Amino acid sequence: MSEHQPNFLIRLWRSLRAFLRGIDQAQRERVVALTAYEARELENMFVLMLLGSFAGMPSPPSFLAVELLPHLEHEIRVLNRRAESSTDALAEIMGTIDADA
Amino acid sequence: MSSIIVVVGIVVYIALYFLYGKRLETNVVKANNDIETPASRLYDGVDYVPAKTPVLFGHHFASVAGAAPIIGPVIAMAWGWLPALAWIWFGNIFVGAVHDYLAIMASVRYDGKSIQFVASDLITKRTGKLFYWLVFLILVLIVGAFGAVLGNMFVGDPSVPSSYLLMLVAGLILGVLIYRVKMNFTLATIIGVVMLIAAIFGGIAMPITAPKSVWFAIMFFYIIIAAAIPVNVLLQPRDYLNSWLLYVGLAIGALAALSSGVQFSAPAFTSFAPIVSGGKPSPFWPVIPLIVACGSLSGFHSLVGSGTTSKQLDKESSGLTIGYGGMLFEGFLSTIVVVAVAGYGLGLLVNAGQDISAANWGQQYLAASGAAGISGAGMFTAAYAEMVASTWLRFLPGAFVKTIAGMWVASFAMTTLDTTNRLARYTLAEIALPLKDKSEGAYNFLTNRWIASAIPAALGIYLAWSGTFSILWPSFGAGNQLIASIALLTGTAWVAKRLKTKATMALIPAYLLWITVTAAILWHMFVVVLPAIQSNAVTNTVVFIIEAVMFILNVVFIIDFVKTRNEPAPEASEA
């Protein structure tokens, strides 16, 4: 019993410390969450400018688009996924802007 | 007594988390850590990023925490502290937490898509569209109800608005320190917290007195302007300071409630139908969920949880801690509110010269609170300060503690108000989509940034200014609980159709909630709002129409749900 109690208390203390550190990290991340969201939206627009022909938008000079294309693989994947979920944005917006009462 | 209730509350929550929540996880959802979550499977470093459980808990809890879990229980005290507490605990454990957990887990198994998407997939496309309408209508009611809360509070305690304005200045300075000066974050936080404390003392020293109409006008322009300012200038640093208020307020409240030991002066039970909404005797069933919304269950949680939380869940077993546990945490906050008001509410009203006792509490509580100028949030802040002053925490100055509590409520209510215009623009764009081809001009007008912001802001502030708070608050609750009922039934459809497991643990609360909310809306429309049209025609007609539309949407939903309940789930929608 005397061996278990300290272990339990130490485990409890570690869990509590991890929990509080997690809360602290979450708060730090939230300080830039909306800015990050806006930056992501700007990136979306940038990708649309380069690859807008897919969506019927005028393209930039093709040599420029081709030159930039290899750097945009990740963005294109994100763009594709976001295009698929573009009609499902209500919850994401609510989660991002903390729209809760 | 307060210590006993808080300890019992903690024990009940922990016990039921393991006994009921774990059962839900194991027997119904069958959470399995061998199944990769979308955060890992679809990792993109942007939207899909696994987060450690405590970090995601922090994000989720801060997202779902608001002012409603404080205000609702204060009003529900009219039934007595026992019914209020019973609904908070029962609703929390068996309905609200189940709702939040199912919404997150359904979303996790749907590649992080929202509960709205799941509803469209498993019930009908029309069900998905209902969310836009309901959210938009609730936005109007939120501005009305929260505007009224803030108006009453700002007039009742003039140090709160001045502290809040100083806090906005502190937020602006903190924004410059963090984003422009790029100061060390810990140092900036220390400066921010010091400025927050200074703002509280500054507000106490320089209270601003103004009539309610002036505050409403300020709120209207604030709502519109808040969305136009870059988020890093005001909203983000302000919200960061808010989170300090939340955690410090919660910690002080929990410590005080645990060590207070005060005997409850408010009665345990008044009557089945005391005076609650619109001056009418309000039956505990079905009205209680309209009063205690977020402290017990909240429909908005299903959207918030399935919008961002589900995309960051590192493993399925974390879902219970975050979804189920997060909701219990919010219920604990409401428990502290009940304890504070039960212990000190009666004394505060008697000291304010009100003719109230335990015997006539049910009939007089809300009227006396209003007459004494300490209704709603004001009652909480005053009782909270008294509770803290009765413990070893009495070294904290009373006015300081009271203003902390006031700022806590005010800042969360304000945050809710300034998110409305962002959301309104999006929901209006979706609602008005059919107009795009038929009348592009009308579509462009409605979705214009300023117009879309002004519609709910103007309607809501008008309701707050001209309406009766005890009518507006249950209307907001009705909309919120309606979304909860739709989300919970969607969760049961997911369990039955996709998981093919026995959904009893979800189905019973889902049907119970739907029947309760439907009955409550009908009761509120015809017993409270309709007769009130005689005394305040325009305002109450607007409320009646909004509730009628919500009721129709509710009926449409249940017809679709029942019609499709035995249909198999469409293929290939799920991951």
Side-chain angles (χ1 to χ4, degrees):
Chain A
M1 185 70 190
S2 57
E3 280 179 17
H4 279 92
Q5 205 171 8
N7 285 343
F8 171 74
L9 286 176
I10 289 169
R11 279 207 313 274
L12 187 69
W13 165 243
R14 284 181 182 159
S15 301
L16 184 66
R17 196 173 55 179
F19 177 76
L20 292 174
R21 282 185 176 165
I23 299 278
D24 176 54
Q25 191 182 328
Q27 295 316 313
R28 287 167 184 256
E29 288 173 4
R30 290 166 68 83
V31 174
V32 290
L34 285 173
T35 309
Y37 184 76
E38 288 191 345
R40 292 207 299 272
E41 289 300 308
L42 287 174
E43 277 178 17
N44 285 349
M45 285 180 214
F46 178 62
V47 174
L48 266 180
M49 279 167 62
L50 289 175
L51 303 167
S53 55
F54 291 130
M57 287 170 67
S59 286
S62 50
F63 67 88
L64 186 63
V66 169
E67 201 170 317
L68 286 168
L69 205 56
H71 303 288
L72 289 170
E73 187 190 344
H74 176 73
E75 277 70 20
I76 292 168
R77 284 180 197 279
V78 175
L79 181 75
N80 264 334
R81 208 234 330 114
R82 284 194 179 165
E84 281 170 16
S85 60
S86 60
T87 54
D88 185 36
L90 175 65
E92 190 177 343
I93 291 174
M94 289 181 72
T96 306
I97 64 174
D98 288 357
D100 198 58
Chain B
M1 188 68 178
S2 68
S3 318
I4 295 169
I5 292 293
V6 174
V7 170
V8 169
I10 292 170
V11 170
V12 165
Y13 277 142
I14 291 174
L16 270 295
Y17 174 86
F18 286 105
L19 294 174
Y20 195 80
K22 284 283 182 191
R23 201 179 152 86
L24 189 71
E25 180 189 50
T26 312
N27 296 354
V28 179
V29 174
K30 296 187 189 301
N32 182 355
N33 284 343
D34 292 335
I35 301 173
E36 269 196 304
T37 60
S40 306
R41 191 160 37 80
L42 304 172
Y43 175 83
D44 61 9
V46 185
D47 298 324
Y48 291 87
V49 184
K52 286 180 185 169
T53 307
V55 178
L56 191 54
F57 184 93
H59 278 289
H60 183 77
F61 181 66
S63 288
V64 299
I70 294 172
I71 297 157
V74 171
I75 303 169
M77 279 297 295
W79 281 287
W81 61 263
L82 194 55
L85 211 52
W87 176 246
I88 289 166
W89 290 357
F90 176 85
N92 228 216
I93 291 161
F94 297 108
V95 194
V98 176
H99 161 276
D100 289 17
Y101 177 57
L102 284 185
I104 290 174
M105 291 311 291
S107 171
V108 165
R109 298 277 179 88
Y110 259 83
D111 284 354
K113 292 191 170 71
S114 74
I115 195 75
Q116 184 188 15
F117 180 91
V118 179
S120 301
D121 187 52
L122 293 182
I123 304 173
T124 62
K125 296 273 179 219
R126 192 162 66 177
T127 310
K129 298 274 181 204
L130 290 183
F131 280 87
Y132 292 115
W133 278 97
L134 282 172
V135 168
F136 182 75
L137 294 173
I138 295 172
L139 291 180
V140 174
L141 295 169
I142 277 182
V143 177
F146 281 62
V149 166
L150 286 165
N152 289 333
M153 200 177 186
F154 285 0
V155 171
D157 188 351
S159 61
V160 174
S162 49
S163 289
Y164 187 77
L165 288 171
L166 289 170
M167 182 184 160
L168 290 183
V169 176
L172 288 168
I173 296 169
L174 184 62
V176 171
L177 295 180
I178 293 175
Y179 307 112
R180 300 276 175 198
V181 179
K182 299 191 191 308
M183 182 180 275
N184 172 286
F185 188 76
T186 306
L187 181 60
T189 299
I190 292 168
I191 294 172
V193 172
V194 170
M195 286 193 294
L196 180 60
I197 294 168
I200 294 170
F201 279 115
I204 295 167
M206 299 174 289
I208 300 175
T209 308
K212 219 186 277 187
S213 52
V214 171
W215 290 124
F216 286 142
I218 291 171
M219 274 181 237
F220 174 75
F221 289 109
Y222 171 80
I223 292 171
I224 307 287
I225 292 167
I229 303 171
V231 289
N232 60 328
V233 173
L234 177 66
L235 298 188
Q236 275 186 163
R238 190 272 320 261
D239 288 352
Y240 181 56
L241 292 178
N242 276 1
S243 64
W244 276 91
L245 276 173
L246 167 69
Y247 289 115
V248 169
L250 196 55
I252 292 175
L255 287 173
L258 267 172
S259 51
S260 162
V262 66
Q263 288 300 316
F264 289 172
S265 53
F269 176 72
T270 56
S271 71
F272 183 70
I275 304 294
V276 179
S277 182
K280 301 279 184 186
S282 308
F284 182 74
W285 189 93
V287 181
I288 185 69
L290 269 53
I291 305 299
V292 182
C294 300
S296 186
L297 79 146
S298 166
F300 272 21
H301 293 191
S302 67
L303 288 160
V304 168
S306 67
T308 44
T309 307
S310 60
K311 293 187 179 79
Q312 295 171 42
L313 201 69
D314 61 344
K315 54 184 187 292
E316 289 206 342
S317 60
S318 300
L320 191 72
T321 312
I322 292 157
Y324 199 90
M327 188 64 219
L328 298 190
F329 223 69
E330 193 158 19
F332 181 66
L333 163 61
S334 292
T335 303
I336 292 173
V337 175
V338 169
V339 164
V341 179
Y344 299 95
L346 181 60
L348 286 166
L349 292 173
V350 170
N351 289 343
Q354 298 300 311
D355 180 21
I356 187 168
S357 64
N360 65 3
W361 177 270
Q363 304 303 307
Q364 291 298 319
Y365 165 61
L366 290 174
S369 304
I374 47 174
S375 60
M379 170 56 79
F380 165 69
T381 58
Y384 179 92
E386 289 283 325
M387 183 170 75
V388 172
S390 72
T391 68
W392 56 275
L393 292 160
R394 67 177 67 90
F395 63 88
L396 295 167
F400 177 74
V401 174
K402 192 179 172 197
T403 309
I404 279 190
M407 292 272 284
W408 178 8
V409 180
S411 55
F412 273 95
M414 274 292 191
T415 309
T416 305
L417 287 191
D418 56 46
T419 55
T420 54
N421 48 5
R422 288 158 194 268
L423 255 189
R425 194 176 168 206
Y426 177 71
T427 50
L428 258 178
E430 291 296 325
I431 290 168
L433 205 58
L435 279 176
K436 198 171 182 181
D437 294 328
K438 293 174 192 165
S439 171
E440 203 175 338
Y443 176 79
N444 289 340
F445 176 77
L446 281 174
T447 55
N448 172 277
R449 174 184 186 152
W450 301 102
I451 301 293
S453 301
I455 292 173
L459 258 176
I461 292 292
Y462 172 74
L463 291 180
W465 174 64
S466 62
T468 309
F469 174 70
S470 68
I471 292 178
L472 289 172
W473 183 261
S475 306
F476 148 70
N480 185 306
Q481 301 297 287
L482 208 53
I483 289 193
S485 136
I486 293 173
L488 193 52
L489 281 166
T490 303
T492 62
W494 170 67
V495 170
K497 292 183 183 184
R498 289 287 186 201
L499 304 182
K500 301 190 192 312
T501 53
K502 213 173 173 188
T504 317
M505 286 174 82
L507 199 62
I508 291 174
Y511 274 127
L512 183 74
L513 180 63
W514 188 87
I515 292 167
T516 303
V517 173
T518 306
I521 292 177
L522 282 175
W523 176 86
H524 198 248
M525 281 171 67
F526 291 102
V527 176
V528 177
V529 185
L530 194 61
I533 286 175
Q534 288 176 338
S535 58
N536 191 347
V538 179
T539 306
N540 289 321
T541 302
V542 172
V543 175
F544 188 85
I545 290 170
I546 290 175
E547 289 194 357
V549 174
M550 292 196 304
F551 177 75
I552 292 165
L553 295 174
N554 188 33
V555 171
V556 168
F557 165 72
I558 203 68
I559 289 170
D560 287 345
F561 178 79
V562 171
K563 268 166 62 178
T564 58
R565 74 186 189 283
N566 292 323
E567 289 176 8
E571 287 179 14
S573 298
E574 194 178 2

